[in-house]
């Protein structure tokens, strides 16, 4: 409870919501089509923060990549990280073009804006496209709202353990 008597509930991390994968896939397919890339020949790379101290970010990103890979026709769906291997430059050396990169950043702080923009500028090529950070995808609000609806439903029906 807060000082004002309100209760606060933390929902599962956004990166664990598979609805996020659907939003990312839709955006990446749209960009590939706009650029004239055949989706089945395009690689999708999810760029996340990662951490040398905790594997949770990497594991969630890899799970999201597998989810998208199972539901789309991309040649490959992989992951790259800022603070642990594999780094984006390493992934790009090993990846066939064309490539669509999506940043899994929910804000425009140091990493979400400065670091990612600098990396993308260094990778700038005709067949490498940065789709942006997920925070810029309007559909992200629907994913968050869906998570809140699921929580409220589970709270009413006693199924909170399933969330």
């Amino acid at each position: 409870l807060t000082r004002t008597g309100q209760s606060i509930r933390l929902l599962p991390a956004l990166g664990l919501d598979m609805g996020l994968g659907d939003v990312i896939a839709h955006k990446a397919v749209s960009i590939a089509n706009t650029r004239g890339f055949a989706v089945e020949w395009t690689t999708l790379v999810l760029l996340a923060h990662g951490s040398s101290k905790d594997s949770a970010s990497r594991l969630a990103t890899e799970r999201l990549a597998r989810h998208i890979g199972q539901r789309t026709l991309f040649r490959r769906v992989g992951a790259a990280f800022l603070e642990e291997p594999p780094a984006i430059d390493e992934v790009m050396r090993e990846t066939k073009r064309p490539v669509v990169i999506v940043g899994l950043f929910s804000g425009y702080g140091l990493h979400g804006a400065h670091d990612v923009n600098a990396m993308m500028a260094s990778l700038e090529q005709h067949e490498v496209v940065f789709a942006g950070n997920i925070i810029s995808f309007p559909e992200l609000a629907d994913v968050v709202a869906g998570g809140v609806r699921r929580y409220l439903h589970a709270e009413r029906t006693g199924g909170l353990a399933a969330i």
Side-chain angles (χ1 to χ4, degrees):
L1 282 172
T2 67
R3 289 183 283 180
T4 61
Q6 296 174 321
S7 63
I8 297 172
R9 303 279 191 266
L10 290 178
L11 298 180
L14 178 61
L16 298 175
D17 191 318
M18 291 301 106
L20 178 61
D22 297 337
V23 167
I24 290 169
H26 178 76
K27 178 74 167 184
V29 166
S30 175
I31 287 177
N33 289 334
T34 298
R35 288 296 187 106
F37 302 163
V39 173
E40 62 273 12
W41 294 106
T42 302
T43 298
L44 172 61
V45 175
L46 305 179
L47 177 61
H49 191 277
S51 171
S52 58
K53 297 177 183 161
D54 185 353
S55 62
S57 173
R58 178 179 46 78
L59 294 173
T61 302
E62 290 169 346
R63 178 178 174 225
L64 189 59
R66 282 191 305 276
H67 172 76
I68 295 169
Q70 292 167 353
R71 298 172 57 100
T72 64
L73 297 175
F74 285 102
R75 172 194 306 215
R76 183 175 158 278
V77 180
F81 303 95
L82 298 181
E83 292 198 0
E84 67 179 293
I88 190 70
D89 56 339
E90 177 184 345
V91 169
M92 294 306 292
R93 277 194 304 272
E94 300 168 358
T95 301
K96 292 182 180 180
R97 307 302 192 259
V99 180
V100 175
I101 301 169
V102 174
L104 299 184
F105 299 94
S106 59
Y108 288 109
L110 177 63
H111 292 310
H114 182 273
D115 292 348
V116 171
N117 287 338
M119 276 187 257
M120 293 307 108
S122 71
L123 295 173
E124 192 172 320
Q125 299 175 18
H126 170 68
E127 292 188 312
V128 176
V129 179
F130 182 54
N133 292 316
I134 59 170
I135 191 65
S136 68
F137 300 176
E139 303 86 354
L140 185 63
D142 296 332
V143 175
V144 173
V148 171
R149 279 192 301 276
R150 284 190 301 278
Y151 171 81
L152 293 174
H153 176 74
E155 186 177 54
R156 282 192 309 274
T157 61
L160 285 177
I163 291 188

